Amino acid sequence: MTKNLVIIGAQFGDEGKGKFIDLLAHSFDGVVRFQGGHNAGHTIVVAGKKTILHLLPSGILHDNLKCFIGNGVVVSLSALFEEITLLEENGISVRDRIYVSNNCSLILPYHCALDAARENKMGKAAIGTTRRGIGPAYEDKVARRGLRVCDLLSHKTLEEKLRNLADYHSFVLQNYYNVEVPDFGVVLDELQTYAKMIQPMIIDVAAVLEDYRQQGKKLLFEGAQGAMLDIDLGTYPFVTSSNTTMGAVGSGCGFGPLYVDAVLGVVKAYTTRVGAGPFPTECLDDIGEDIRMRGGEFGSTTGRPRRCGWLDMVMLRRAVAVNSLTHIGLTKLDILDNLEKIKICVAYQLNGKKLTSPPLINDELAQCEPIYEEFPGWMEATSGITDFVKLPPNAQKYIQRIEELSGVPIAMIGTGPDRKDTILKMNMFFRACSTQV
Ligand code: IMP
């Protein structure tokens, strides 16, 4: 039986993880984020009402559910409290059930300034980051000069550490990038204000999760971004600055990987990517535009148009392997409803050779030509269907082919944005969570 479930993006992020996390969350005792920061954008629609979460775990919309932000997350305090306030204004109580690890690294205004200055200086070669300071904050963490949540608890430590960090970054901002430096006094004041507000939420997340495990409680681990944006395993340098793959659960919140029972990889029925970097199956034609418009493929964090293309099994097979995916959750099937023909990339062609796994060198990946299998479309509406056998036969065949090519069963299928627009194809989650849609 699935007690502890990891839900992870198996492509370039924006797969629709938030919907499945929200759908399953009520059957767990806690939802945990373990990497990334407020660069994520998890869109949840309940009874037609849309909520976009960036930092808070997607389970927060369920009353009484405990939510944890693990040590692997980089935390912007302003983003955290903006999001808490927004939810509270909408009648959702948050402060009594959100817990933040004392070891989380902080994102400071210096990091945002650096992120933006670098992207501007790189011009056309820019990575296309969310400019939220994610990369620079992780750099400070690894360089062992960063500020952590626990540093907020001592005024003296906070001021000293912030002074060192400010001196270090101000020099580069001023002298290399020629941009304005955040005001030290303002940054310190803000941190002190937030320090008081966050104090009741600070805990040792790893210790509490171990207590949960020992008491037999169920935990849902919520990934952000996607496997191909992993700092080590993704399309470097066009990646985010954290490990987005399943292994990060262990390091990002202190929950031992062998205590995880299942890993659900969320996959869009096609592929999207926001930001720069290789994308072999990208459709730069009318089909790409059609998918973008029908799918509302605009970044939920930055509003940027997402690049759209066909489903890429070469990348998905890599995601299956590196995340040890036990199940797939397929999203946005209905967006393909009007297409006469649908393609799946089954291999790449590079310099006359057929490749079945993606090359690790980015320039080589950029030169790969996709080899496609083509399917007749179903050309009828699937929106809102909740029963697999009610799907048009060609849609069923498309889904079955994805299962064959990935070697992983598809447990759930999204047929619309709302929590209820879901086909629960397998009963794994029924047993685990007695899911009510
Ligand atoms: P960063 O995470 O802001 O440093 O951005 C690095 C890359 O990851 C850029 O290509 C972003 O567009 C991408 N990225 C970051 N977060 C997300 C996400 O939640 N969904 C999709 N792409 C993301």
Side-chain angles (χ1 to χ4, degrees):
M1 187 173 94
T2 304
K3 253 193 197 160
N4 299 309
L5 172 68
V6 177
I7 298 191
I8 215 142
Q11 295 162 307
F12 291 103
D14 307 319
E15 297 91 352
K17 298 176 283 294
K19 172 179 160 165
F20 287 154
I21 293 162
D22 170 65
L23 174 68
L24 297 171
H26 76 279
S27 303
F28 289 83
D29 298 294
V31 181
V32 189
R33 270 201 62 182
F34 53 90
Q35 48 73 226
H38 65 307
N39 48 349
H42 294 163
T43 306
I44 298 158
V45 183
V46 185
K49 188 161 186 264
K50 186 166 156 181
T51 308
I52 301 178
L53 298 171
H54 298 287
L55 184 56
L56 293 171
S58 301
I60 201 78
L61 298 190
H62 293 264
D63 291 345
N64 307 323
L65 192 66
K66 306 282 187 208
C67 289
F68 300 91
I69 297 183
N71 55 277
V73 176
V74 281
V75 173
S76 155
L77 294 169
S78 55
L80 177 69
F81 283 102
E82 253 171 52
E83 210 161 295
I84 290 176
T85 308
L86 190 78
L87 290 186
E88 286 179 346
E89 280 168 5
N90 282 285
I92 299 164
S93 76
V94 177
R95 278 170 224 249
D96 51 338
R97 55 198 181 87
I98 176 82
Y99 301 96
V100 182
S101 166
N102 40 19
N103 284 355
C104 286
S105 293
L106 294 178
I107 301 181
L108 301 170
Y110 303 97
H111 299 133
C112 302
L114 279 167
D115 199 355
R118 280 183 197 161
E119 286 284 283
N120 290 340
K121 192 169 171 89
M122 283 167 88
K124 281 201 175 135
I127 288 168
T129 72
T130 58
R131 299 183 173 223
R132 299 200 160 191
I134 306 294
Y138 275 116
E139 287 165 33
D140 274 355
K141 168 181 174 170
V142 175
R144 294 167 291 191
R145 65 173 162 255
L147 263 70
R148 302 198 296 176
V149 162
C150 53
D151 296 323
L152 295 166
L153 300 175
S154 152
H155 180 83
K156 192 163 166 280
T157 313
L158 179 64
E159 187 165 355
E160 270 172 23
K161 287 197 173 177
L162 185 67
R163 173 60 71 195
N164 286 338
L165 200 92
D167 287 350
Y168 183 82
H169 289 312
S170 299
F171 182 81
V172 174
L173 285 167
Q174 229 160 18
N175 298 303
Y176 185 67
Y177 291 113
N178 292 314
V179 295
E180 212 176 309
V181 173
D183 183 278
F184 178 80
V186 172
V187 176
L188 181 62
D189 279 357
E190 257 180 31
L191 285 179
Q192 281 165 347
T193 307
Y194 287 130
K196 288 192 200 107
M197 292 160 72
I198 199 174
Q199 203 160 348
M201 304 171 193
I202 303 175
I203 59 163
D204 177 346
V205 167
V208 173
L209 297 186
E210 172 59 8
D211 283 350
Y212 269 48
R213 189 184 74 78
Q214 293 208 5
Q215 291 166 32
K217 289 185 176 173
K218 295 192 255 179
L219 291 167
L220 175 55
F221 297 88
E222 167 175 350
Q225 292 85 46
M228 293 303 138
L229 292 178
D230 184 284
I231 183 78
D232 287 294
L233 298 161
T235 57
Y236 188 92
F238 299 102
V239 291
T240 191
S241 296
S242 63
N243 286 112
T244 57
T245 41
M246 189 274 180
V249 171
S251 56
C253 64
F255 194 78
L258 287 183
Y259 301 141
V260 168
D261 302 291
V263 186
L264 178 80
V266 183
V267 179
K268 231 177 239 183
Y270 46 96
T271 307
T272 61
R273 174 165 204 167
V274 62
F279 183 176
T281 62
E282 183 169 15
C283 296
L284 295 165
D285 53 10
D286 289 352
I287 291 183
E289 182 59 19
D290 184 63
I291 292 176
R292 182 176 309 114
M293 297 317 288
R294 283 177 54 84
E297 296 296 354
F298 296 88
S300 47
T301 299
T302 59
R304 290 177 289 177
R306 294 180 186 142
R307 300 156 66 193
C308 299
W310 300 115
L311 186 60
D312 185 339
M313 292 310 304
V314 184
M315 288 201 193
L316 185 53
R317 277 193 295 262
R318 168 62 55 82
V320 168
V322 301
N323 291 299
S324 55
L325 294 188
T326 58
H327 299 81
I328 285 176
L330 193 74
T331 56
K332 292 193 147 182
L333 182 73
D334 55 308
I335 304 306
L336 305 181
D337 283 354
N338 65 329
L339 295 178
E340 268 175 50
K341 290 201 169 112
I342 296 173
K343 293 182 187 177
I344 297 182
C345 167
V346 290
Y348 296 151
Q349 182 92 23
L350 179 68
N351 301 328
K353 281 198 186 133
K354 186 175 165 185
L355 304 181
T356 50
S357 62
L360 292 176
I361 300 167
N362 212 40
D363 289 348
E364 288 184 4
L365 182 58
Q367 286 168 36
C368 283
E369 290 293 330
I371 300 173
Y372 286 117
E373 254 181 43
E374 203 171 88
F375 299 79
W378 42 93
M379 304 287 286
E380 57 180 289
T382 61
S383 313
I385 290 181
T386 54
D387 191 351
F388 185 74
V389 296
K390 294 208 172 125
L391 285 176
N394 283 351
Q396 294 189 22
K397 281 186 201 146
Y398 182 64
I399 288 161
Q400 279 152 0
R401 188 65 183 137
I402 297 169
E403 290 181 315
E404 280 165 18
L405 289 167
S406 64
V408 178
I410 294 183
M412 47 214 307
I413 301 157
T415 55
D418 204 284
R419 195 189 266 173
K420 66 177 171 36
D421 303 329
T422 305
I423 297 170
L424 292 165
K425 189 165 172 281
M426 288 182 67
N427 69 1
M428 158 206 171
F429 298 109
F430 292 151
R431 267 187 288 128
C433 328
S434 51
T435 303
Q436 300 146 10
V437 181

